[in-house]
Amino acid sequence: MDISIERLCIENGLKMTGPRRVIARVLSEATDHPDVDELHRRANRVDSRISLATVYRTVRLLESKGILSRRDLGSRRARYEPSGDKHHFHLVDKDTGTVVEFAAPQAEALLCEIAAAQGFEVDNIKIELFGRRTAK
């Protein structure tokens, strides 16, 4: 990810404790959308003193400040990613839970055109497509 969660925390006036710095770094480096348990596993590899409770508290705090977004991507567990106003598309494999982000400029243009025909101006587009990866 090209977003520094730590920078966003500082800009939002959050005190950056050691555990928060580690969690922010893990989130910034994530190329997937980790749930809290996975985030804890990754943070714990950096600092084994970080508890699951600390990760939960930090994620809730970052979500309340608008730094993180909770995403329901079809599993029982919420996943997290940096908040943002950019158009955002996900493919979710229902068998494995794998999430793939992708760009779709043609779809964005078409959706904005449809919205405009209905008298709307689009601020952002968030779409999740659920399916199964086909064998190649």
Side-chain angles (χ1 to χ4, degrees):
M1 277 177 208
D2 59 355
I3 297 171
S4 168
I5 301 294
E6 184 175 355
R7 180 181 51 79
L8 293 173
C9 290
I10 292 167
E11 288 174 3
N12 278 275
L14 297 178
K15 180 181 174 191
M16 291 308 293
T17 63
R20 281 186 190 165
R21 284 186 195 284
V22 170
I23 293 165
R25 184 169 13 122
V26 168
L27 283 164
S28 292
E29 293 172 355
T31 57
D32 55 354
H33 299 73
D35 62 26
V36 172
D37 288 332
E38 181 58 30
L39 184 54
H40 176 248
R41 275 190 288 281
R42 294 176 191 180
N44 217 255
R45 281 187 224 130
V46 177
D47 182 346
S48 62
R49 298 169 296 175
I50 296 174
S51 70
L52 184 57
T54 297
V55 175
Y56 269 104
R57 281 192 306 271
T58 302
V59 165
R60 281 195 301 267
L61 175 64
L62 299 181
E63 188 179 6
S64 74
K65 293 290 186 179
I67 296 168
L68 282 187
S69 291
R70 176 193 301 240
R71 305 297 292 209
D72 177 9
L73 298 174
S75 67
R76 296 175 313 184
R77 299 175 186 262
R79 296 182 182 214
Y80 294 89
E81 65 184 358
S83 296
D85 291 335
K86 65 179 179 142
H87 302 318
H88 206 76
F89 297 83
H90 294 113
L91 287 169
V92 182
D93 186 317
K94 291 172 66 174
D95 291 332
T96 65
T98 303
V99 178
V100 176
E101 288 190 27
F102 67 96
Q106 304 90 341
E108 291 175 23
L110 178 59
L111 292 168
C112 288
E113 187 179 308
I114 292 168
Q118 298 298 316
F120 283 84
E121 183 177 323
V122 174
D123 292 329
N124 61 52
I125 301 169
K126 308 256 188 231
I127 294 180
E128 283 92 27
L129 302 172
F130 296 87
R132 290 174 176 78
R133 187 175 298 270
T134 58
K136 290 184 179 181

